[in-house]
Amino acid sequence: MLLIEISLSEGRASEAAAAYNKMNKTPLSIGDIYTQLQNNIPISKDVPARAYAVEGKRDQAIAEYERLTSADPKAREYMLIHPFCRLRLARLYEASGERAKAIAQYDTLAVIWKNADQGLSEVQEAKERLAALKGH
């Protein structure tokens, strides 16, 4: 995961994708702690979407984040929905000019993060972007 994060931050999407693919080829048993972590801390599952975004493939990144935030648990492989996936999707919607979809994601984050530490940069960003998009 560290190699993936470094690669993405340095704009090397193909290297991040290769590391992600290698990581996901490791066989895990259903009771294995790593399987449980993988399914319940799903932020690692957004590596392909982040790689698409780094490569400038916005539509593919959006499609992947839509899958990861789907209301259908089967579509997202029964993983929990990480709020950062919603935040990254909202940013992509904004960049694509899809204002209503961005607002919907930020609205969901406002509910999820209503009791979150307001000093966290992501919480503050979501709050400010929602207000800006709604014209407040």
Side-chain angles (χ1 to χ4, degrees):
M1 277 307 298
L2 183 58
L3 175 61
I4 291 168
E5 292 300 327
I6 291 168
S7 298
L8 285 172
S9 70
E10 294 179 349
R12 297 189 320 259
S14 60
E15 187 177 313
Y20 174 78
N21 289 334
K22 183 177 179 182
M23 181 180 79
N24 279 332
K25 288 183 181 174
T26 305
L28 300 172
S29 68
I30 192 70
D32 192 318
I33 185 65
Y34 298 109
T35 301
Q36 293 173 27
L37 287 172
Q38 189 175 37
N39 288 336
N40 292 302
I41 305 175
I43 196 64
S44 67
K45 291 297 186 177
D46 83 333
V47 171
R50 291 170 56 203
Y52 289 138
V54 166
E55 292 175 328
K57 298 177 181 176
R58 188 183 302 147
D59 291 342
Q60 288 172 287
I62 288 173
E64 184 62 14
Y65 276 122
E66 287 175 339
R67 183 185 72 76
L68 292 171
T69 59
S70 172
D72 178 6
K74 190 172 184 178
R76 60 177 195 276
E77 300 171 22
Y78 300 96
M79 291 180 296
L80 300 174
I81 300 171
H82 196 289
F84 285 5
C85 289
R86 291 195 182 282
L87 180 61
R88 291 172 181 151
L89 179 57
R91 290 174 184 157
L92 288 165
Y93 281 148
E94 271 194 89
S96 295
E98 297 185 67
R99 188 173 176 269
K101 288 183 177 182
I103 288 172
Q105 292 302 316
Y106 288 129
D107 274 335
T108 300
L109 286 170
V111 172
I112 293 169
W113 284 341
K114 71 179 182 234
N115 295 320
D117 181 347
Q118 297 303 307
L120 296 174
S121 61
E122 293 85 0
V123 173
Q124 190 61 34
E125 176 191 348
K127 187 177 181 179
E128 289 171 2
R129 294 306 313 139
L130 180 59
L133 288 170
K134 287 187 169 183
H136 296 114

